[in-house]
Amino acid sequence: MDKFLVKRPSPGKNKQEPLEMKGGELDWMRDGGEKKRPRSQMPGADESFVHSPWKQIRAEGLNCDYKILFSKTEADKIFQELEKEVEYFEGDLTKVQVFGKWHNIPRKQVTYGDPELTYTYSGVTFAPKLWIPVLNHIRERITLATGHTFNFVLINRYKDGCDHIGEHQDDERELVPRSPIASVSFGACRDFFFRHGASRGKNASCHIEPVRLQLAHGSLLMMNYPTNVYWYHSLPTRKRVLAPRINLTFRKVMALPKQ
Ligand SMILES: O=C(O)CCC(=O)C(=O)O
Ligand SMILES: [Mn+2]
């Protein structure tokens, strides 16, 4: 991964890391039944804001930025809270259509977001569940770090290294044109690949090296325009990974008339 990385200051509009946390969003992080405590006494507060540098990931038509957004202590808490509170889709919503055939998806999935939005992905239209505190907490931290706001999140849970996501582009028609996608990961560190569209398959028109990243616990990967125009991404199987991983891709979605 280092081959593609150049260190630089924060790329967001908000160059400064956040200075305060708002009480309400953190209620789930406090011990039960206690009065509000000063920030310095809150669990994990000392380390709440990690000052990890941004790393640029650049290749032809690929523009991504990566950083550790949450300290280990906070990422552990968030992971536990996600395991407790996120309710994944069941039944027909756990299947996707590929070349006209329906398959069970090799992971668990769910969407949360503003109520008027929908999202069509691999032939299935998802209505979002309403925001819950832990998701708002993550969403606010991304906004503080990048200056971007998001109204929708797709959550994928990979129970172990057998669960995966195949090569695809995030190019759904509901996405606000040229908007970035913020991908936050918790749990097992997994390999994540970008492959240029022109270098895919037998009829590849040129050879462009794939880009391999490792998405760590508590990390944020910003996929900026035009990455998803030219590059496909995937999370391949890794048989040796035994622990679960949760990935959340925060998106800017437009309310579209029903087709
Ligand atoms: O799990 C990941 O890191 C990627 C998920 C993804 O690409 C997607 O939800 O579109
Ligand atoms: Mn994707």
mmCIF file of all heavy atoms in Angstrom, residues 6 42 44 67-68 133 135 168 182 186 213 237:
data_model
loop_
_atom_site.group_PDB
_atom_site.id
_atom_site.type_symbol
_atom_site.label_atom_id
_atom_site.label_comp_id
_atom_site.label_asym_id
_atom_site.label_seq_id
_atom_site.Cartn_x
_atom_site.Cartn_y
_atom_site.Cartn_z
ATOM 1 N N VAL A 6 1.203 9.139 -0.149
ATOM 2 C CA VAL A 6 2.013 10.321 0.106
ATOM 3 C C VAL A 6 1.361 11.011 1.282
ATOM 4 O O VAL A 6 0.151 11.207 1.274
ATOM 5 C CB VAL A 6 1.970 11.292 -1.093
ATOM 6 C CG1 VAL A 6 2.864 12.484 -0.828
ATOM 7 C CG2 VAL A 6 2.366 10.592 -2.361
ATOM 8 N N MET A 42 -15.087 10.924 30.528
ATOM 9 C CA MET A 42 -15.877 9.944 29.792
ATOM 10 C C MET A 42 -15.010 8.777 29.354
ATOM 11 O O MET A 42 -13.834 8.949 29.078
ATOM 12 C CB MET A 42 -16.514 10.590 28.558
ATOM 13 C CG MET A 42 -17.777 11.337 28.911
ATOM 14 S SD MET A 42 -18.277 12.449 27.640
ATOM 15 C CE MET A 42 -18.125 11.475 26.206
ATOM 16 N N GLY A 44 -12.900 6.433 27.477
ATOM 17 C CA GLY A 44 -12.205 6.533 26.190
ATOM 18 C C GLY A 44 -11.995 7.949 25.713
ATOM 19 O O GLY A 44 -11.464 8.174 24.638
ATOM 20 N N LYS A 67 -7.378 7.555 6.477
ATOM 21 C CA LYS A 67 -6.804 7.874 7.794
ATOM 22 C C LYS A 67 -7.444 6.993 8.866
ATOM 23 O O LYS A 67 -8.510 6.410 8.633
ATOM 24 C CB LYS A 67 -6.987 9.356 8.144
ATOM 25 C CG LYS A 67 -8.398 9.754 8.568
ATOM 26 C CD LYS A 67 -8.454 11.210 8.943
ATOM 27 C CE LYS A 67 -8.173 11.408 10.375
ATOM 28 N NZ LYS A 67 -7.721 12.503 11.007
ATOM 29 N N ILE A 68 -6.788 6.920 10.008
ATOM 30 C CA ILE A 68 -7.420 6.296 11.173
ATOM 31 C C ILE A 68 -8.294 7.377 11.803
ATOM 32 O O ILE A 68 -7.799 8.437 12.179
ATOM 33 C CB ILE A 68 -6.355 5.787 12.176
ATOM 34 C CG1 ILE A 68 -5.478 4.706 11.518
ATOM 35 C CG2 ILE A 68 -7.011 5.246 13.439
ATOM 36 C CD1 ILE A 68 -6.216 3.442 11.081
ATOM 37 N N PRO A 133 -28.388 6.235 17.192
ATOM 38 C CA PRO A 133 -27.314 7.097 17.719
ATOM 39 C C PRO A 133 -25.909 6.711 17.283
ATOM 40 O O PRO A 133 -25.105 7.579 16.933
ATOM 41 C CB PRO A 133 -27.494 6.984 19.230
ATOM 42 C CG PRO A 133 -28.958 6.707 19.406
ATOM 43 C CD PRO A 133 -29.375 5.859 18.234
ATOM 44 N N LEU A 135 -24.833 5.371 14.607
ATOM 45 C CA LEU A 135 -24.573 5.738 13.203
ATOM 46 C C LEU A 135 -24.443 7.251 13.066
ATOM 47 O O LEU A 135 -23.613 7.751 12.303
ATOM 48 C CB LEU A 135 -25.680 5.204 12.296
ATOM 49 C CG LEU A 135 -25.812 3.675 12.263
ATOM 50 C CD1 LEU A 135 -26.954 3.260 11.339
ATOM 51 C CD2 LEU A 135 -24.501 3.029 11.811
ATOM 52 N N HIS A 168 -17.022 -4.340 -8.113
ATOM 53 C CA HIS A 168 -18.147 -3.496 -8.559
ATOM 54 C C HIS A 168 -17.728 -2.032 -8.470
ATOM 55 O O HIS A 168 -16.689 -1.700 -7.891
ATOM 56 C CB HIS A 168 -19.379 -3.732 -7.683
ATOM 57 C CG HIS A 168 -19.180 -3.261 -6.268
ATOM 58 N ND1 HIS A 168 -18.467 -3.990 -5.327
ATOM 59 C CD2 HIS A 168 -19.544 -2.114 -5.644
ATOM 60 C CE1 HIS A 168 -18.425 -3.327 -4.197
ATOM 61 N NE2 HIS A 168 -19.070 -2.168 -4.359
ATOM 62 N N ALA A 182 -17.807 7.805 1.831
ATOM 63 C CA ALA A 182 -16.947 7.660 3.021
ATOM 64 C C ALA A 182 -17.111 6.248 3.567
ATOM 65 O O ALA A 182 -18.203 5.869 3.985
ATOM 66 C CB ALA A 182 -17.346 8.685 4.079
ATOM 67 N N PHE A 186 -14.669 -1.394 10.851
ATOM 68 C CA PHE A 186 -14.437 -1.831 12.233
ATOM 69 C C PHE A 186 -14.245 -3.346 12.247
ATOM 70 O O PHE A 186 -14.862 -4.058 11.449
ATOM 71 C CB PHE A 186 -15.634 -1.475 13.126
ATOM 72 C CG PHE A 186 -15.879 0.002 13.220
ATOM 73 C CD1 PHE A 186 -16.846 0.604 12.423
ATOM 74 C CD2 PHE A 186 -15.133 0.789 14.080
ATOM 75 C CE1 PHE A 186 -17.062 1.974 12.492
ATOM 76 C CE2 PHE A 186 -15.344 2.156 14.157
ATOM 77 C CZ PHE A 186 -16.310 2.751 13.363
ATOM 78 N N LEU A 213 -5.227 -2.043 -0.670
ATOM 79 C CA LEU A 213 -5.208 -1.354 0.619
ATOM 80 C C LEU A 213 -5.533 -2.363 1.704
ATOM 81 O O LEU A 213 -6.122 -3.406 1.427
ATOM 82 C CB LEU A 213 -6.272 -0.249 0.663
ATOM 83 C CG LEU A 213 -6.320 0.760 -0.476
ATOM 84 C CD1 LEU A 213 -7.455 1.731 -0.258
ATOM 85 C CD2 LEU A 213 -5.005 1.500 -0.555
ATOM 86 N N THR A 237 -12.229 -12.907 -0.565
ATOM 87 C CA THR A 237 -12.210 -13.844 0.569
ATOM 88 C C THR A 237 -10.779 -13.965 1.098
ATOM 89 O O THR A 237 -9.820 -13.847 0.336
ATOM 90 C CB THR A 237 -12.700 -15.251 0.144
ATOM 91 O OG1 THR A 237 -11.912 -15.671 -0.954
ATOM 92 C CG2 THR A 237 -14.159 -15.263 -0.234
#
